[in-house]
Amino acid sequence: MKNTDWDIYRCFVTVARTGGVTGGAPATGPSPAPGGRRVLGLGGGIGRSPLIRSPTGYTPAGGGRFLFEQLQEMEAAARKVESWQKEGEGATVVRIAAGTWVSWLIAENFPAICTERDAFNISLTIGEARANLAYRESDIGIRAFEPEETYLAARPVGEVAYAAYRQKNAPGGVERWVAVAEEDAISAYLRWPHEHAPGRIVATVTRPRSLLDLARAGAGRAVLPCFVGDPDPPRGGGGDETAPPRPRRWIVINNEDRHRRDIRTVVDRMTRFLRSHTDLFAGKRPPRNSA
């Protein structure tokens, strides 16, 4: 493997993360098929295939797991050097990983996090999976539980309440539900309709953001965070039938990064902003439009 291009290693890391050979191809330059063959060809250097194929895609196997871990550490080191260089130049990127609705709230109030006077930019990664800061894929994460990892520092920013929302006078009354598809329902509130109203789900989507649109359109009831549903019109009968867990949100950062000026600035601003919405998160504020 001594003559292997670094681009192939980067391609391997991308494939291992995304599960797809096509997703890793851009890192190598050639088209997906040759790029994929070069990634799979890494097995010649470790005595076995570094990836195994399953119905959900490719995953690291055997020596590939060790290779994946080592390459992630190399990536993390490279990111630290890059951040150090950019900080010296006065232009850095702060990477935030958050769920759909917290990301939506941040985007709606972006000037509270980053202004035109700041020397840094923001990169916001949106997804329901747990933010992983071990290999510096993100600088800041928002989680629904206190982290157990010893290398992370955390700040609590309040509980989040959930309720069922629907458009007033929508057809079907309270019997129709909309939900995220079961295989994509990672969080407890996304699983709630599947566990409590499985025979009444009339539409599913792959992303939580579309639940609000479906509720607004009168398609059915949707389980949403109260800070999303309370200020919005579709709340006829909201909150009277569902009570998913009320997880506390935490801002998490890597201990080694908490003294970086740009990251500390963003964390302080996010903490102030999210804590200022504590009552709304907890479902204690009345909606602007009562049903």
Side-chain angles (χ1 to χ4, degrees):
M1 300 175 69
K2 62 181 180 180
N3 295 322
T4 303
D5 293 337
W6 171 241
D7 279 346
I8 299 301
Y9 289 132
R10 291 172 56 204
C11 184
F12 168 78
V13 170
T14 302
V15 172
R17 284 190 182 131
T18 64
V21 171
T22 302
T28 67
S31 62
R37 286 196 295 269
R38 294 176 71 187
V39 171
L40 297 176
L42 285 172
I46 58 178
R48 62 186 68 84
S49 175
L51 299 164
I52 57 174
R53 188 170 187 174
S54 70
T56 58
Y58 288 93
T59 56
R65 287 192 292 268
F66 173 80
L67 179 62
F68 184 42
E69 182 176 339
Q70 298 303 307
L71 290 175
Q72 286 186 107
E73 291 182 3
M74 292 173 66
E75 267 195 333
R79 288 193 184 104
K80 289 177 68 175
V81 172
E82 183 181 4
S83 295
W84 171 75
Q85 289 177 324
K86 288 184 176 180
E87 194 166 10
E89 298 168 359
T92 60
V93 176
V94 178
R95 296 160 301 167
I96 304 171
T100 296
W101 298 115
V102 172
S103 296
W104 169 79
L105 190 65
I106 289 174
E108 289 271 302
N109 299 272
F110 190 77
I113 308 300
C114 182
T115 74
E116 70 279 0
R117 297 183 299 275
D118 292 320
F120 56 82
N121 299 321
I122 298 294
S123 173
L124 183 59
T125 299
I126 304 170
E128 303 308 306
R130 182 177 70 176
N132 182 8
L133 280 68
Y135 299 108
R136 302 303 203 283
E137 293 177 36
S138 300
D139 301 310
I140 304 168
I142 307 292
R143 288 188 179 177
F145 55 89
E146 184 175 7
E148 298 177 351
E149 299 94 330
T150 57
Y151 60 83
L152 293 180
R155 296 183 183 181
V157 288
E159 292 183 343
V160 176
Y162 297 87
Y165 295 87
R166 67 180 176 88
Q167 190 63 270
K168 187 177 181 180
N169 300 322
V174 299
E175 296 302 318
R176 296 165 60 87
W177 287 79
V178 295
V180 166
E182 196 162 6
E183 60 270 21
D184 298 309
I186 297 175
S187 303
Y189 85 95
L190 296 177
R191 294 193 299 270
W192 198 96
H194 297 283
E195 295 169 351
H196 296 83
R200 292 180 282 164
I201 298 173
V202 298
T204 60
V205 293
T206 58
R207 297 181 181 274
R209 178 62 182 82
S210 296
L211 294 176
L212 180 60
D213 299 324
L214 287 170
R216 283 173 172 165
R221 291 160 65 87
V223 178
L224 298 169
C226 289
F227 72 84
V228 174
D230 281 353
D232 205 83
R235 66 153 299 166
D240 60 350
E241 185 175 333
T242 179
R246 299 166 60 102
R248 183 181 294 273
R249 287 292 185 270
W250 297 80
I251 297 176
V252 296
I253 55 176
N254 197 297
N255 274 317
E256 294 182 8
D257 294 334
R258 61 180 176 172
H259 298 301
R260 262 183 54 188
R261 180 167 48 186
D262 53 351
I263 292 178
R264 185 176 68 248
T265 297
V266 174
V267 168
D268 288 344
R269 290 176 181 174
M270 288 179 61
T271 301
R272 287 194 298 270
F273 170 71
L274 294 176
R275 286 179 178 173
S276 72
H277 287 70
T278 297
D279 286 348
L280 183 60
F281 285 155
K284 295 179 181 179
R285 291 185 184 177
R288 290 198 295 260
N289 301 278
S290 58

